[in-house]
């Protein structure tokens, strides 16, 4: 068995005015708790350092940019990197990334994986950006990820770290079966997925009561149909008057939820994950080499 004790570190709401330094203090408290319980990896949510700012239309790009990080680690997050390295714990978290590539400013919804020595060993930029690009005043709140971020240009893929093949995805990605299949076909054994998911979905309010169901349905189906460990971690609670779902969880390759948060605050749930358990599924029911018929699904890889 290749075991890794994983901590899903759910964060409660982050106020707009809450400084990154204060959020990092909350993250370190969860890290310490995880270390005390033998965790080797701690997973934090999407956009873990700030409030979920795409809920607001901000015409002034300078104001939008106050929510972005221009280097990582940076002054606000260095204490987190240093604490984790001292504890020998890997961790993952999401943040708004602003950088210059070839003379052009780029902005992504990004997540990173840091190993037990405090080194960033993997970076992923969100591929499936939900929401819209222009202000839509009819909405109780906006969802302007398509305005504030560019879609990621690197495909889903794992990195060998902490004893397994670990991959990243972010929030809306978890709703798309392609996310898990691409990961699994590339050998990923565990996918880490932070999310900020409002209860209210303005385009279909009749589905509001289904948000937690759809969250677990997506994570469990992705895990089972691809023989993956899936770690889903929420930024939860009433954040700037917008209710976000919680129910962070760790899902085994069988699709079973083996750990689940039960509050909407900062909460750590833990499970001792055996990467080898992926073969229970990958070497049987979903042995891709033996049973999968890609020639019969030509449209699945068509753009
Ligand atoms: N949030 C939401 C998510 O995909 C959403 C957007 C909410 C889509 C509810 C559909 C239904 O979980 C982010 N940040 O992607």
């Amino acid at each position: 068995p290749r075991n890794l004790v994983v901590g899903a570190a759910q964060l409660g709401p982050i106020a707009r005015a809450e400084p990154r330094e204060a959020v990092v203090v909350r993250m370190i408290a969860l890290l310490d708790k995880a270390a005390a319980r033998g965790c080797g990896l701690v997973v934090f949510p999407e956009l873990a350092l700030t409030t979920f700012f795409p809920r607001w239309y901000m015409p002034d790009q300078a104001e939008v940019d106050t929510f972005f990080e221009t280097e990582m680690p940076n002054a606000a997050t260095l204490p987190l990197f240093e604490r984790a390295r001292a504890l020998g714990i890997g961790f993952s978290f999401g943040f708004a990334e602003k950088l210059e590539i070839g003379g052009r400013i780029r902005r992504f919804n990004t997540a990173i994986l840091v190993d037990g020595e405090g080194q960033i060993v993997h970076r992923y930029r969100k591929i499936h950006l939900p929401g819209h690009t222009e202000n839509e005043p009819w909405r109780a709140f906006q969802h302007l990820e398509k305005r504030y971020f560019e879609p990621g240009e690197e495909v889903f893929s794992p990195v060998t770290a902490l004893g397994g093949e670990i991959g990243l995805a972010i929030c809306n990605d978890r709703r798309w079966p392609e996310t898990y299949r691409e990961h699994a076909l590339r050998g990923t054994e565990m996918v880490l997925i932070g999310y900020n998911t409002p209860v209210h979905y303005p385009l279909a309010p009749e589905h509001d009561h289904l948000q937690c169901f759809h969250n677990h349905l997506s994570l469990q189906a992705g895990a089972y149909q691809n023989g993956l460990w899936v770690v889903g971690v929420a930024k939860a609670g009433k954040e700037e008057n917008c209710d976000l779902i919680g129910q962070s969880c760790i899902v085994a390759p069988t699709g079973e939820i083996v750990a689940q948060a039960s509050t909407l605050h900062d909460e750590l749930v833990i499970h001792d994950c055996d990467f080898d358990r992926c073969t229970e599924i990958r070497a049987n029911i979903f042995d891709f080499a033996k049973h999968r018929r890609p020639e019969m699904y030509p449209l699945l890889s068509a753009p």
Side-chain angles (χ1 to χ4, degrees):
R2 285 175 293 134
N3 279 68
L4 176 64
V5 181
V6 176
Q10 174 175 291
L11 288 177
I14 298 177
R16 180 172 188 157
E18 192 164 348
R20 291 165 173 75
E21 291 75 6
V23 178
V24 166
V25 166
R26 291 167 54 185
M27 294 169 80
I28 289 174
L30 289 164
L31 205 65
D32 286 341
K33 209 176 278 185
R37 294 177 58 189
C39 288
L41 170 66
V42 178
V43 185
F44 292 106
E46 168 193 35
L47 295 175
L49 302 175
T50 66
T51 195
F52 187 73
F53 63 90
R55 70 165 63 89
W56 296 300
Y57 172 61
M58 293 173 273
D60 174 7
Q61 185 61 45
E63 182 178 10
V64 176
D65 284 346
T66 64
F67 293 98
F68 282 76
E69 315 303 323
T70 54
E71 56 186 358
M72 189 54 70
N74 55 26
T77 55
L78 199 57
L80 179 68
F81 281 72
E82 289 174 344
R83 184 76 186 137
R85 192 180 56 225
L87 295 169
I89 289 190
F91 63 103
S92 168
F93 68 94
F95 61 93
E97 178 189 21
K98 177 184 169 192
L99 73 163
E100 190 173 320
I101 304 176
R104 192 154 70 89
I105 297 284
R106 313 293 299 277
R107 294 178 181 83
F108 298 101
N109 186 342
T110 298
I112 55 172
L113 177 62
V114 183
D115 69 9
E117 285 77 47
Q119 296 307 308
I120 297 176
V121 293
H122 202 36
R123 183 204 61 223
Y124 166 74
R125 293 163 171 162
K126 188 172 182 178
I127 287 170
H128 297 98
L129 293 172
H132 46 104
T133 56
E134 303 306 323
N135 188 33
E136 297 183 5
W138 62 271
R139 293 168 180 259
F141 48 84
Q142 306 299 303
H143 198 115
L144 289 163
E145 291 192 64
K146 287 188 192 296
R147 182 184 183 88
Y148 297 146
F149 304 117
E150 294 176 64
E153 296 165 346
E154 292 146 336
V155 300
F156 295 110
S157 68
V159 64
T160 304
L162 303 165
E165 294 299 312
I166 299 177
L168 300 172
I170 299 175
C171 203
N172 200 259
D173 289 328
R174 80 191 185 285
R175 299 175 188 277
W176 297 83
E178 293 86 349
T179 300
Y180 305 94
R181 183 66 100 213
E182 186 74 20
H183 264 304
L185 286 170
R186 290 173 182 269
T188 300
E189 296 172 315
M190 179 180 289
V191 185
L192 315 180
I193 313 180
Y195 58 88
N196 288 232
T197 300
V199 170
H200 177 53
Y201 187 67
L203 288 174
E206 67 277 15
H207 292 172
D208 287 5
H209 69 287
L210 298 172
Q211 292 308 334
C212 286
F213 165 62
H214 287 159
N215 177 41
H216 283 172
L217 179 66
S218 304
L219 296 170
Q220 289 180 266
Y224 166 61
Q225 291 173 342
N226 296 282
L228 292 164
W229 288 96
V230 174
V231 185
V233 185
K235 169 103 78 49
K238 187 178 282 291
E239 185 173 86
E240 295 294 334
N241 205 33
C242 176
D243 289 302
L244 302 175
I245 67 168
Q247 300 213 331
S248 303
C249 62
I250 300 174
V251 187
T254 55
E256 295 166 289
I257 292 177
V258 290
Q260 180 175 329
S262 61
T263 73
L264 293 176
H265 316 301
D266 294 8
E267 180 181 353
L268 179 71
V269 291
I270 290 171
H271 188 74
D272 186 353
C273 303
D274 176 2
F275 288 111
D276 287 343
R277 289 203 59 200
C278 295
T279 54
E280 289 172 30
I281 301 289
R282 256 344 139 76
N284 295 314
I285 175 83
F286 292 120
D287 180 332
F288 295 148
K290 205 177 286 182
H291 304 309
R292 188 166 164 265
R293 304 284 314 285
E295 70 281 5
M296 298 307 291
Y297 338 122
L299 290 188
L300 281 192
S301 47

